[in-house]
Amino acid sequence: KQEVTQIPAALSVPEGENLVLNCSFTDSAIYNLQWFRQDPGKGLTSLLLIQSSQREQTSGRLNASLDKSSGRSTLYIAASQPGDSATYLCAVSYAGNMLTFGGGTRLMVKP
Amino acid sequence: NAGVTQTPKFQVLKTGQSMTLQCAQDMNHNSMYWYRQDPGMGLRLIYYSASEGTTDKGEVPNGYNVSRLNKREFSLRLESAAPSQTSVYFCASKNRDGKNIQYFGAGTRLSVL
């Protein structure tokens, strides 16, 4: 059974700091990996999707990397802003259909 | 653009009561999903429907039933609610375009007393 773990569970940083969120998975035979953002009381928004053949994806201040061999992904957020405060979830996919989610990292960026 | 719409947003049930959570998407997506989210556990897949007319069990299907009414709608039914089903329920949909991006509704917060 695939397990996805996110560390830390919560993180508080001052505005402007660069930060890294971590995601690890037990079975490296993934189809792809996604990072989602969840705001309080809201649904999930897909931020970045990395196919199994890719090493990283970038969108604005966000950069996600994937190392299948070690079963790890990181989400790098540059120059953090208070608007980045949310819960960030990673999810892995097998055979392109079902997603297995990590427990999330709750991020707070203080002004 | 409505995207994925879930109703109701909130619901309180007594143990043993039944209810149906509704989900509709207007993006002409083939696949639809039901997840539950519990504190610290991320989202877990309950049921999914890869296409109209098909449904399959996910990781935690016990106590639930689903109906893929048509391409737009995918409902989740609790026949006899239990306190362990207190959770936030999310519906999602995905197109068959190879991008494998799921679009989520805003969720239904369910409390079973």
Side-chain angles (χ1 to χ4, degrees):
Chain A
K1 180 177 179 292
Q2 172 71 249
E3 291 186 3
V4 181
T5 304
Q6 291 186 246
I7 295 174
L11 182 63
S12 181
V13 300
E15 181 177 4
E17 193 163 295
N18 301 324
L19 58 99
V20 174
L21 307 182
N22 297 294
C23 173
S24 61
F25 45 94
T26 52
D27 187 343
S28 63
I30 64 172
Y31 185 74
N32 58 43
L33 182 144
Q34 295 184 66
W35 283 94
F36 292 87
R37 169 182 173 140
Q38 184 178 27
D39 293 289
K42 300 291 180 63
L44 280 68
T45 301
S46 181
L47 296 173
L48 290 164
L49 182 150
I50 310 176
Q51 300 292 352
S52 62
S53 58
Q54 298 175 319
R55 294 298 299 266
E56 66 177 344
Q57 282 285 343
T58 299
S59 176
R61 294 182 294 109
L62 304 179
N63 176 276
S65 68
L66 174 63
D67 185 343
K68 277 179 51 181
S69 61
S70 65
R72 294 184 179 186
S73 176
T74 61
L75 179 65
Y76 175 82
I77 301 178
S80 58
Q81 303 171 358
D84 295 330
S85 297
T87 297
Y88 291 82
L89 296 139
C90 73
V92 298
S93 171
Y94 295 93
N97 212 1
M98 292 175 19
L99 292 176
T100 301
F101 283 83
T105 294
R106 191 171 63 254
L107 173 67
M108 176 167 291
V109 181
K110 299 177 184 177
Chain B
N1 292 335
V4 179
T5 302
Q6 292 184 236
T7 56
K9 293 190 186 324
F10 303 94
Q11 184 71 48
V12 179
L13 293 177
K14 294 180 180 178
T15 297
Q17 286 186 315
S18 62
M19 78 160 295
T20 300
L21 282 65
Q22 306 287 353
C23 174
Q25 51 90 11
D26 62 1
M27 297 174 281
N28 201 37
H29 286 173
N30 293 296
S31 302
M32 297 186 73
Y33 307 82
W34 276 106
Y35 295 90
R36 60 178 288 174
Q37 184 177 33
D38 301 298
M41 298 187 71
L43 278 73
R44 291 181 292 169
L45 183 66
I46 305 171
Y47 271 93
Y48 69 98
S49 171
S51 61
E52 185 179 354
T54 67
T55 61
D56 287 285
K57 295 179 180 179
E59 182 184 356
V60 288
N62 292 343
Y64 305 94
N65 286 302
V66 291
S67 295
R68 183 74 183 267
L69 304 171
N70 47 55
K71 193 171 186 179
R72 289 186 65 247
E73 299 172 290
F74 189 38
S75 62
L76 179 72
R77 182 159 178 85
L78 288 70
E79 290 291 351
S80 179
S84 61
Q85 295 178 304
T86 293
S87 189
V88 182
Y89 291 85
F90 287 99
C91 177
S93 69
K94 185 186 77 168
N95 201 3
R96 197 182 294 166
D97 59 2
K99 295 182 180 179
N100 199 35
I101 296 176
Q102 294 189 19
Y103 296 84
F104 285 79
T108 294
R109 281 150 187 78
L110 175 67
S111 293
V112 183
L113 305 177

